[in-house]
């Protein structure tokens, strides 16, 4: 992939997103939210790629994946007014469908096409499929998942600090702010597993689900950023009337420290 290809993709995305401009402030604010998210995920993925000492060509491929990872979000929100896949459609698969339909990737090699399409498809799965393909595809899939999680955690932590009237309910999927947590989600977290969106019942559950993302972090730099900005601390402190919070907090902290050590001892690059 050449620099000219990446420049083309950046302009193409700008033109594509402009189709979703809306006089409805709720829609427009969330379209802007996702475009801003895309820009920051591009920054994150380049940061992670460079800490892994990737060459320019690899960095360009990584940034292209980040550019398109949430392509389906714009059509999803315009059509359904929600970011919740279970109440609309899988935004990753929708993004893949759009990429194929528009043929925007046709200027690239078949190998690059395949890596981009599969990494976009896998970025929101609870785990990367066991037979994901080449070591290279697995690497890029892990890269986009880490870069994506970092910005979502940043975004929601900023939202939790907002005054109640200014909060964006789309980020919490419009779920009720009731006390307590779902037993199945607490069980998943305390067993070191990623929680499932299907078990989420209230805002505390959403917060636990996002805390459980530490069980799917792949790069040492990601752990460093998480600890530096205290995203997990912010989420935990925002949970209301949940007896399990202190137990979960201690467990998450121990897992984060252990995972950071394990990750630093692991070779991620293809």
């Amino acid at each position: 992939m050449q620099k000219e290809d990446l420049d083309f993709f950046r302009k193409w995305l700008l033109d594509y997103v402009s189709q979703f401009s809306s006089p409805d402030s709720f829609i427009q604010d969330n379209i802007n939210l996702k475009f801003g998210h895309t820009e920051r995920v591009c920054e994150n993925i380049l940061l992670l790629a460079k800490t892994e000492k990737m060459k320019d060509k690899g960095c360009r491929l990584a940034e292209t994946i980040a550019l398109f990872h949430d392509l389906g979000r714009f059509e999803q929100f315009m059509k359904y007014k929600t970011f919740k896949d279970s109440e609309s459609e899988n935004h990753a698969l929708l993004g893949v469908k759009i990429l194929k339909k528009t043929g925007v990737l046709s200027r690239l090699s078949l190998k690059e096409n395949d890596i981009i399409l599969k990494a976009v498809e896998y970025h929101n799965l609870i785990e990367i499929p066991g037979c994901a393909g080449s070591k290279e595809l697995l690497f890029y899939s892990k890269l986009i998942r880490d870069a994506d999680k970092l910005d979502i955690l940043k975004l929601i932590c900023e939202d939790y600090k907002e005054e109640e009237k200014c909060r964006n309910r789309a980020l919490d999927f419009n779920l009720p702010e009731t006390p307590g947590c779902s037993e199945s989600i607490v069980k998943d977290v305390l067993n070191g597993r990623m929680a499932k969106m299907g078990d989420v019942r209230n805002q505390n559950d959403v917060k636990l689900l996002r805390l459980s993302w530490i069980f799917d972090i792949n790069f040492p730099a990601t752990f460093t950023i998480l600890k530096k900005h205290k995203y997990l601390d912010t989420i935990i402190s925002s949970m209301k009337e949940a007896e399990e919070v202190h137990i979960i907090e201690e467990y998450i902290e121990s897992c984060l420290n252990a995972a950071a050590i394990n990750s630093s001892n692991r070779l991620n690059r293809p």
Side-chain angles (χ1 to χ4, degrees), residues 42-185:
C42 287
E43 294 172 3
N44 288 345
I45 207 167
L46 285 176
L47 186 155
L48 297 178
K50 288 173 182 176
T51 63
E52 293 295 309
K53 297 182 170 37
M54 293 183 68
K55 296 181 179 179
D56 289 347
K57 186 175 181 180
C59 287
R60 288 193 289 268
L61 182 56
E63 186 175 349
T64 301
I65 292 167
L67 271 175
F68 293 138
H69 84 284
D70 263 359
L71 184 63
R73 286 297 197 190
F74 305 103
E75 182 176 322
Q76 178 192 45
F77 201 84
M78 181 65 76
K79 186 175 181 180
Y80 302 102
K81 311 296 188 296
T82 183
F83 291 130
K84 193 172 182 181
D85 287 5
S86 62
E87 293 179 0
S88 53
E89 57 185 302
N90 184 318
H91 74 278
L93 294 180
L94 179 57
V96 170
K97 180 181 176 182
I98 294 165
L99 289 171
K100 289 180 177 179
K101 182 178 179 180
T102 59
V104 63
L105 300 178
S106 60
R107 60 194 291 133
L108 301 181
S109 69
L110 290 177
K111 179 182 177 182
E112 289 169 331
N113 257 274
D114 186 62
I115 289 174
I116 293 167
L117 291 172
K118 289 287 175 54
V120 170
E121 178 183 348
Y122 296 159
H123 88 271
N124 69 331
L125 296 179
I126 195 164
E127 60 183 358
I128 301 170
C131 53
S134 68
K135 187 177 180 181
E136 193 172 8
L137 170 59
L138 185 61
F139 174 77
Y140 283 106
S141 296
K142 289 179 176 180
L143 205 62
I144 185 58
R145 288 165 73 91
D146 274 29
D148 190 31
K149 288 180 176 69
L150 279 175
D151 190 63
I152 296 173
L153 291 172
K154 174 182 183 294
L155 196 64
I156 60 147
C157 285
E158 290 174 350
D159 192 60
Y160 292 152
K161 294 174 183 177
E162 289 285 346
E163 293 292 333
E164 187 68 20
K165 63 182 180 181
C166 299
R167 302 242 343 252
N168 185 345
R169 293 304 177 194
L171 293 175
D172 287 324
F173 308 109
N174 294 305
L175 288 163
E177 197 166 351
T178 51
C181 308
S182 294
E183 183 179 346
S184 56
I185 290 192

